Each structure stands twice: as structure tokens, then as C-alpha cells.
Amino acid sequence: MQAVSSLGLAFPVLYDTDATAAKSWNVFNLLGDGVAAPATFVFDATGTLRAFRIGKNAGDRPHAEEVLEVIRSFAREGSTGLPGASFPGQP
């Protein structure tokens, strides 16, 4: 949590320490390893899912700059973009 607070973000970041969210979003044990698949979900201010990426292996996750670029693209569009849009390179 210290890393997030040091960034001065104006939005909440979920720490799913007990896998409640992972199970709810069906990414727990998705890869058959008994843990949550690496998954990043970006919601807008209204709580609408805006973008997501679900990794294909433990190391498959977007870099922070990729996530921030997706968020910036919504702001540049002057809209909320497409619900459920994926990160670059994600089908």
C-alpha cells in the first residue's frame, strides 16, 4: 500500500488480500495454480468497467505506464471510452 500512497493517486486501488474480488471476478485459479491470475481492471468514476487485462501466466501483467496510458486515453477522448476495452496488445 505504501507504493500506491507514494504516487498520490486520486482514486482507490483494491488490495485483494483474501481473494474475495478475484473469486467474484472469476480470475481465481483461472490458470489452475490455486491463486488469482494476474488481472488489472480499470473503472471510471461511476464504477463502470472501462478496461481490463487478464494475464496468461504469472508474469503477464501490464506495466504501470500502460495502465496510466489507458486512463489518459479516456481523458483525451473527453469521454469514458468503450466499456471493457482492453490494454494494448490484449485481444
Side-chain angles (χ1 to χ4, degrees):
M1 287 190 230
Q2 182 180 2
V4 172
S5 62
S6 70
L7 294 173
L9 302 176
F11 50 84
V13 174
L14 171 68
Y15 285 94
D16 189 23
T17 58
D18 62 359
T20 299
K23 291 173 183 172
S24 179
W25 284 83
N26 297 316
V27 295
F28 187 80
N29 202 31
L30 188 64
L31 304 175
D33 56 3
V35 297
T40 302
F41 300 95
V42 178
F43 298 85
D44 66 17
T46 69
T48 301
L49 177 63
R50 297 298 318 284
F52 65 95
R53 179 171 174 176
I54 300 171
K56 295 181 178 84
N57 60 58
D60 185 14
R61 59 188 77 227
H63 293 282
E65 188 55 39
E66 288 178 89
V67 177
L68 292 172
E69 181 53 37
V70 167
I71 294 168
R72 287 183 199 115
S73 73
F74 300 150
R76 281 193 303 268
E77 294 169 5
S79 70
T80 58
L82 300 174
S86 60
F87 287 85
Q90 177 81 7

